[in-house]
Amino acid sequence: MPRFTDPAPEPKLRADAFKLTREEAQRVRTATRKVAAARGGFIALSVALGVSTSAVYHAANPKRRPSLAFAVRLAAVAGVPVEVILSGKLAVAPVVIGVAA
């Protein structure tokens, strides 16, 4: 006797509201590289963000799309609103140690 089962449920996907557009993703990748350069590299940035180094490399990779959560963390570390990161208007000055202002 054949058994009939329910069809497999469709996989749950992230809501579209939490996905970055291509332009926003490119801006987050650029901001990631800028903030990493100002912070002393990808490892220092990963420590400041509280994520693994591979997550930072993943976010900077042009073949990948960073998450909105990463953009929010990056904005917090950079000390700017997330809108600045997503708009591409981030200007970061490198930290200079031992020089009087």
Side-chain angles (χ1 to χ4, degrees):
M1 179 177 240
R3 294 181 73 183
F4 295 101
T5 59
D6 292 332
E10 293 183 23
K12 293 183 180 181
L13 302 175
R14 288 185 181 177
D16 288 337
F18 295 116
K19 290 184 180 177
L20 298 176
T21 64
R22 286 184 185 161
E23 294 81 19
E24 290 171 337
Q26 177 58 40
R27 293 170 185 153
V28 171
R29 284 191 291 271
T30 302
T32 300
R33 289 190 295 273
K34 286 181 179 180
V35 174
R39 285 280 186 161
F42 285 102
I43 295 172
L45 179 60
S46 69
V47 171
L49 290 171
V51 299
S52 66
T53 306
S54 63
V56 178
Y57 283 116
H58 175 86
N61 186 343
K63 294 182 181 179
R64 304 290 185 152
R65 187 173 285 190
S67 67
L68 179 60
F70 183 85
V72 170
R73 284 181 175 225
L74 184 64
V77 167
V80 297
V82 72
E83 291 83 6
V84 173
I85 300 282
L86 298 179
S87 68
K89 298 179 181 178
L90 179 67
V92 178
V95 178
V96 179
I97 299 173
V99 176

